[in-house]
Amino acid sequence: MPIINTSQGVGGILNSFRGLVEGAEKITFVGTPGFCTPFAELLGFVVRDRELAFISSLDFEKARSIFMDYEGMQLGELTDAHADVVVLLGGLAMPRIGISPEKAKEVAREILEGSEKGRIIGVCFQSSFMQQKWDEIINFDHIINSDLAVEVLET
């Protein structure tokens, strides 16, 4: 996959994401409970004017809305998971989670059912989709891949 953009930090991830989903009316995030949920809420913040949903562990029937309230982005009530953009989050590809890329591809196809302009976007850290070879099975339109540098300072 050719690199089309580079940036840094959380702002870089969010601005890149906002650009990739321009024109989308509804976005459904798919990830693991706990680990991916805050990333879906963070990414959802920059597109809070759209209809948003989150599917935990590929459970299509239990999709929850993501909405903005006075405390920030939150999971809401059950909602229809169908959307014109699917965002697969990298936590799904962690080996100990036990989710296959084939099953994730099936759920993405189900989410995009009926969409004429459906897109699949991956958002991961440390090349998790590429390391686990998900990019060889899922036809991602784009992948936002980020690395984390960590410093612990003692004062």
Side-chain angles (χ1 to χ4, degrees):
M1 292 183 141
I3 296 172
I4 61 169
N5 180 4
T6 60
S7 58
Q8 292 185 333
V10 173
I13 295 169
L14 297 179
N15 288 329
S16 296
F17 179 71
R18 182 181 18 233
L20 291 177
V21 299
E22 191 165 319
E25 294 177 25
K26 183 170 183 182
I27 303 164
T28 296
F29 298 89
V30 183
T32 59
F35 185 78
C36 292
T37 311
F39 290 104
E41 293 169 343
L42 179 65
L43 292 164
F45 180 77
V46 297
V47 290
R48 60 192 173 278
D49 59 332
R50 324 286 170 84
E51 192 175 348
L52 306 172
F54 180 76
I55 294 177
S56 179
S57 298
L58 308 183
D59 195 348
F60 183 85
E61 298 301 323
K62 292 187 179 173
R64 308 260 310 269
S65 66
I66 301 175
F67 69 97
M68 177 79 179
D69 76 359
Y70 66 95
E71 294 177 346
M73 302 304 286
Q74 306 287 319
L75 292 181
E77 300 296 320
L78 292 176
T79 191
D80 177 17
H82 291 98
D84 49 344
V85 173
V86 176
V87 179
L88 298 177
L89 299 167
L92 294 167
M94 295 188 313
R96 69 177 178 266
I97 297 299
I99 293 175
S100 73
E102 292 83 5
K103 182 65 177 159
K105 184 177 181 177
E106 275 180 44
V107 170
R109 190 177 311 126
E110 189 172 3
I111 292 166
L112 295 174
E113 186 179 325
S115 174
E116 295 177 17
K117 53 186 173 185
R119 292 176 279 160
I120 301 174
I121 297 173
V123 178
C124 66
F125 293 96
Q126 282 98 5
S127 304
S128 63
F129 285 131
M130 289 68 84
Q131 286 183 7
Q132 299 302 317
K133 309 226 183 294
W134 280 44
D135 60 321
E136 296 177 12
I137 295 167
I138 297 172
N139 298 323
F140 289 101
D141 292 282
H142 294 94
I143 295 176
I144 297 174
N145 179 45
S146 185
D147 286 311
L148 297 175
V150 178
E151 293 180 333
V152 178
L153 306 174
E154 185 173 356
T155 61

